[in-house]
């Protein structure tokens, strides 16, 4: 399953840090963060609950970029 989320991030480097952190979260298959569009596309592994996984994605992204926002 693939879902798109609106994000708020200040620079392309920060977006890259978020992408690298999010892809390591259990239950995430792939992540693409588009700084210009301010969007994050997350592909979830089969059988995973997107809501539960995204809570962990937000935590992981906040660790590398504390002023980022992901609107769930």
């Amino acid at each position: 399953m693939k879902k798109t989320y609106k994000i708020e991030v200040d620079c392309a480097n920060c977006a890259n840090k978020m992408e690298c952190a999010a892809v390591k979260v259990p239950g995430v298959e792939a992540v693409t963060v588009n700084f210009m569009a301010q969007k994050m596309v997350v592909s979830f592994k089969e059988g995973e609950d997107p809501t539960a996984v995204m809570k962990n994605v937000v935590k992981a992204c906040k660790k590398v970029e504390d002023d980022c926002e992901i609107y769930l």
Side-chain angles (χ1 to χ4, degrees), residues 7-70:
I7 63 169
E8 194 173 303
V9 64
D10 297 332
C11 67
N13 187 44
C14 300
N16 186 51
K17 288 181 188 176
M18 288 174 62
E19 189 173 301
C20 291
V23 79
K24 294 176 185 173
V25 172
V28 173
E29 193 170 278
V31 179
T32 304
V33 176
N34 186 319
F35 166 68
M36 295 301 287
Q38 296 284 294
K39 293 188 187 290
M40 173 187 272
V41 179
V42 182
S43 295
F44 300 95
K45 291 182 180 172
E46 190 69 33
E48 293 291 338
D49 176 26
T51 305
V53 172
M54 281 308 292
K55 287 180 184 178
N56 293 326
V57 168
V58 170
K59 286 179 191 174
C61 288
K62 289 281 188 183
K63 282 183 185 175
V64 294
E65 196 53 48
D66 62 345
D67 65 343
C68 70
E69 292 293 333
I70 302 172

